Amino acid sequence: MQFSEGQTVVYPHHGPATVVQIFSRTVKGAEISYLKLEVHDSKLSVSVPVASADQVGIRAVLDATSMDALFDVLRAPTVDEETKWSRRMKDNQEKIKVGDIFTIAGVVRDLTRRHDDKGLSLAERDLLRHAQGPLITEIALSLGIATDAAETALHDALASGATTGSAKSNSAAA
């Protein structure tokens, strides 16, 4: 991926960030190019070697096609999940830790539906709130809308998929 100063990128573990500067340092006699990123929410400044950006997971904000795919994930049927909340919690934490926005969308979808159907433990409710943050931010950045509108779009997508998702889950169980 090519980077330029002023570009908005997504850093999986910190959220959206702006490329403030591209600079070089000499490390062990080798010239290494770095990105200096300023994280939007926390104003945290992070330097990442350009060569490691893909490995770290730094990526561009989703385009229109990818955003459609994200909404498709949110509307998709619920995936079979662990019945014990502690194992389900651990599985979902691992999925979120990966930082893939589509995986996070699946976790949010499944936790939201479980919350609506059977309820969630306190820890799972906290995890759901935590997981919604990156999705709302991504939707807002990609669509160029306010955070409140992005949150509404997220909930609308989850609600529109809930009826079809639940029906498919119930018919599959029968």
Side-chain angles (χ1 to χ4, degrees):
M1 177 176 169
Q2 291 289 86
F3 298 99
S4 60
E5 291 184 13
Q7 178 183 13
T8 300
V9 295
V10 178
Y11 192 118
H13 299 290
H14 296 293
T18 300
V19 178
V20 177
Q21 181 182 16
I22 301 172
F23 63 96
S24 296
R25 286 187 188 151
T26 304
V27 179
K28 296 183 181 180
E31 189 84 10
I32 299 176
S33 293
Y34 283 84
L35 299 171
K36 182 175 182 180
L37 304 174
E38 185 174 295
V39 179
H40 291 191
D41 293 337
S42 64
K43 300 299 180 205
L44 175 72
S45 183
V46 181
S47 295
V48 179
V50 173
S52 300
D54 284 341
Q55 182 181 2
V56 171
I58 295 174
R59 61 175 176 76
V61 175
L62 294 180
D63 60 13
T65 304
S66 298
M67 187 54 60
D68 287 342
L70 182 76
F71 281 115
D72 287 344
V73 170
L74 292 169
R75 291 184 202 104
T78 302
V79 176
D80 290 333
E81 55 188 14
E82 182 64 47
T83 53
K84 287 186 78 175
W85 81 265
S86 59
R87 288 189 183 142
R88 189 174 54 247
M89 178 78 177
K90 184 177 179 186
D91 289 346
N92 287 331
Q93 285 174 325
E94 292 299 318
K95 290 175 183 176
I96 290 170
K97 201 180 291 184
V98 170
D100 176 66
I101 197 72
F102 296 100
T103 304
I104 293 171
V107 169
V108 167
R109 174 199 64 219
D110 295 345
L111 284 176
T112 299
R113 290 186 185 150
R114 182 168 191 85
H115 177 64
D116 293 344
D117 293 343
K118 301 175 185 172
L120 295 174
S121 68
L122 180 60
E124 285 180 305
R125 281 183 285 187
D126 288 344
L127 184 67
L128 176 57
R129 273 192 299 278
H130 172 73
Q132 285 178 340
L135 280 177
I136 292 167
T137 302
E138 188 82 32
I139 293 167
L141 285 171
S142 182
L143 300 179
I145 58 177
T147 309
D148 292 346
E151 188 171 357
T152 300
L154 171 66
H155 291 298
D156 289 348
L158 289 167
S160 70
T163 53
T164 58
S166 297
K168 288 180 183 176
S169 296
N170 292 338
S171 64

